[in-house]
Amino acid sequence: MKSPLVCYGLTLGLLVMTSVSAFGQNGRITGLATDRDSIPIEGARVVLVGTSLIETSNRDGRYTFRNVAPGQYQVRVLAIGFQAQTKATTVGNSETVEVIFRLQSQPITLDEMVVTATGEQRKLEVANAVSTIDATAVTETGATTDLASLISGRAAGVQVLKSGGATGTGSRLRIRGSNSVSLSNEPLYYVDGVRLESSSSSLSIDVGGGIGGGATSRINDINPEDIEDIEIVKGPAAATLYGIQASNGVVRITTKRGSAGRPRWNLFTEVGAVSDANTYPLNFFGRDSTGSGYDGFCIVQYELDGLCTQTSVQRYSPLEDPSTRPLKAGLRQQYGANVSGGNEFATYFISGTYENENGVFRLPQFEEDSIRSARGTVPQSQIRPNALTKVSVRANVNANVAKNAEVSANVGYISSDTRLVENDNSFLSITGSGEASFNPPDANRGWFLIPAELFAEQATQGVERFTGGLTGLYHPETWLTTRLTLGYDIVGRTDIQFFPTGQVADFGQNRAGVRGTNRFQISQTSADIGATAQYKLSSTLGSKTSVGAQFFRELSSGTFAVGRGLAAGSETISGAATTESSEQTEESRSAGVYVEQQVSLKERLFLTGAVRFDDNSAFGSNFGGPVYPKASASWLVSDEPFFHMSWINTLRLRGALGVSGQQPGTTDAFRFFTPGPGKINGEAEVGVTFGSLGNSNLKPERSREIELGLDATFLNNRVSVELTYYNKNTRDAIVSRELAPSLGSSETQFLNLGRVTNRGAELVIDARVIDKPSFAWDLTLSGSLNRNRLVELGQGVAPIVFGFGQQRHVEGYPLGSYWSRPILSFNDANGDGIIDAGEYVLGDTAVFVGTGIPTREASLNTAFTLFNGRIRLGGQFDYRGGHIIDNAIESFRCTPILVCRGLVDRNAPLKEQAAAQAVLNDAVEFGYYEPAWFVKLRELTLTYNLPESWARMFRTTRMNVTVSARNLWTITDYSGVDPEVNGFGQANFSSTDFESQPQVRYYTVRVNFGF
């Protein structure tokens, strides 16, 4: 390590952890938390005010503080949905006192607990907006298929961008925009304090869009059924203490815990259908019966040029013909069980879940029958080429190993197998072979490549993943808490791609037989040690001091092997005519220390300051390490004596300033060489060339954020408003600069050249509109705006072009914006109803068209509860807008395929004809950049809680049934199939519809049992 502060921090933490005290004369505080009807409240957080001690009530509503020093205390109970309550008590030597609470209902409160880098805190003390998702409530009564769908639409300023609807594919997550030009814009993920491998694009084989298109995502390994809640830390001002790589935000996941009492079993079964209800575009064929030779390709312009005579227009798509459509409803099923329990000394939670989903791709029956008659059998992988099977198990144990010490162990294991299809930007994709086929129905049944040949390809990923964490809490004094968390996350991954000899499309070298097998092992090791001292300086002044240190190591190794020219029937690389192999290893390490000081005045004003020091192995050798400061203030104005607005129940003002970073790529700073073949005196030898020139001055990107906000509640705390403004400035953005070939080095070099800004606002309105025993209506409206700009790209750096050559990083514009020569005007001058090659005008230079990432998002979550909670009807509407999508599949259908309506049908709208003519004659795609806004009915659920007498008939104590649907309805101006796709998978900035599988619908029935 370069910085002695790391060693200092670790030493300080160890000294605190090993401190001891005499506690033989200490007493206990025990008690009970119930609602106003004396029903126990499970999971309430009980705080010993002025100390660092926090306990959780069990299923009987009981809690216990052990090893409490004699003295006077205030005990405060915090529970979601209830008004916080505080009571005073006095503890004598070796005395046990009881404090009982009966809480009043209150849907919205600032007293709920959130998890921060320094431990648990009341939301009131945290000056940043933190989004919390109650995962248990969503999974039991929602339409949740993976972690991405659990988060989607439930946090302002957080966008879940799905790449498509194929089973097993991943998503991008954007929190308050994109910060980096070259690096990942994904947040960090923690599960129970353990840092996770969370690549949004985790695939090494090409199934479309180049490697990464239609790829899997490691965040979807996480089982939503095991999650208790999710907290999203949104920006550098909140994530300073997380250090390197935290500038994109942090997602903290807490899994379920047991509580004291008899074993409690929960079982569920979920079965449903996955369907493709989308309408695909028809292919247009201009027929010429005069024998000109243009049959099927007699477009209007050719006719105007005198090359053919269009006598008829035929419309057809094999994706829309029921006899050839390879998109049929698939089956989704999920079964799970968990048990929890324990006593006041130890609790446990153990779970297991099995999940299986067959996607919507299904071999047409006539092709299945043909293969069966020829070969006898048809592999299931060819009939249903897109599927996911996953088994996950988890065990969480918490133990009070001493009167003032706790240990928790959290272990999760996941085994999954995913079958993928070619999808996104691929000639081997099933949607592309239908949408962009120049074959009419009487040729190849309208397909470019038939489904049987496409589905014969096998692309699979197998994952074995273990995640384990061990956390120890030690309270040597009531005012002091020390914490140590050790974590290990390891992913074993096997990616296989196999083109059986003679069975796949005659495309490239695939028909001769190809098999590739790539194996990876990726591990994340983390250690987090800290201490928090909380004490009263006076009757009105409180203080809390936290110190800590973290260490993180990522190690990735992979081997790659491919064989070409397989013998017929061979399924192994050893049966190939030629083979290739390679391997790679990457390692990254980081360490940091921090100190944070908070001062509170009358439990109304909370002032916090912090600083963090980091070091990382990816930094250039000439860079010593960054310093990240933080300052924040939270003021509960409504508790001040001068506040007299009776119509406002609570009002809090907050503000924060913080800095965080993003480390360079593992090898970006290093100079290294690549071996290659050569000759010396005519003899073959191995030589080396520059693999990378490196940069000894390379440092992390640095993001600074100012956040201002207010939280208020009205109408007896039934309505709350959370408003936040942020201004985020990222400097030293890493840019890949091209180098002159004359240097004789690598082609590019990474430099700290750029600056990016993100500014925006977030709004959350939460309301209990109606609150009656027989009927309640809850409503949450959330939304955000974001303005992204690339302020500087670096002197001498030309705009960076990528994607299909239409997206650019240009100074003064959003990252990844679309550019094109514009269609300035078009006019049917001769009145023949046709826009020909001379009736439109193009601009001379490319202009900014729009950004590919949404700049606006909003969600409406609502729930109606009827008949004293017996029935619950819930729904979610999801909106995104302010961006465009490249309808690349339609421009491709125009040219070179020549089957789009704009070229073939003389009755097509003039605007559509102008767009088609521009791409045909001038390769200008301006007419296919379309607004991508949409409103979707994302979720609709209906839950019925059976009466206890009915539940007992099934020998259970609790039973409910939920019917749910996802992606039911879409409103959009987009002329394509679905604006919520990306032909480049989880690529940083793309928004392209090219041979992509659109979003699918889910219909499920779920039954929950409890006993």
Side-chain angles (χ1 to χ4, degrees), residues 383-453:
I383 297 174
R384 286 286 187 183
N386 183 210
L388 168 67
T389 300
K390 182 166 66 176
V391 175
S392 59
V393 293
R394 171 161 291 277
N396 294 338
V397 178
N398 295 69
N400 298 311
V401 295
K403 291 183 178 180
N404 57 353
E406 308 167 28
V407 174
S408 63
N410 311 288
V411 176
Y413 185 80
I414 294 167
S415 176
S416 69
D417 290 287
T418 307
R419 292 202 304 265
L420 298 165
V421 291
E422 290 273 354
N423 198 22
D424 303 316
N425 186 19
S426 171
F427 285 113
L428 301 182
S429 72
I430 193 66
T431 54
S433 287
E435 289 177 299
S437 174
F438 47 68
N439 287 322
D442 55 349
N444 214 30
R445 291 184 179 263
W447 292 104
F448 172 59
L449 299 171
I450 64 173
E453 293 179 330

Side-chain angles (χ1 to χ4, degrees), residues 945-964:
N945 294 297
L946 276 67
E948 292 184 9
S949 58
W950 293 17
R952 285 195 294 269
M953 295 172 58
F954 296 90
R955 297 187 177 182
T956 66
T957 57
R958 180 179 65 90
M959 181 176 176
N960 62 46
V961 179
T962 296
V963 180
S964 62

Side-chain angles (χ1 to χ4, degrees), residues 221-236:
D221 290 340
I222 303 168
N223 182 12
E225 300 294 335
D226 290 338
I227 300 175
E228 181 73 30
D229 59 58
I230 301 172
E231 292 178 356
I232 301 177
V233 181
K234 295 183 181 178

Side-chain angles (χ1 to χ4, degrees), residues 634-653:
S634 173
W635 183 23
L636 190 60
V637 182
S638 54
D639 273 12
E640 296 291 352
F642 60 77
F643 189 84
H644 299 296
M645 297 182 183
S646 58
W647 54 281
I648 299 180
N649 301 112
T650 61
L651 174 63
R652 177 173 74 130
L653 302 179

Side-chain angles (χ1 to χ4, degrees), residues 43 98 116 154 171 200 246 249 362 398 418 426 477 518 608 697 754 809 848:
E98 185 175 50
T116 68
R154 293 185 171 89
S171 305
S200 63
R362 209 283 185 192
N398 295 69
T418 307
S426 171
E477 301 287 350
N518 304 330
T608 304
N697 296 314
H809 295 316
F848 169 72

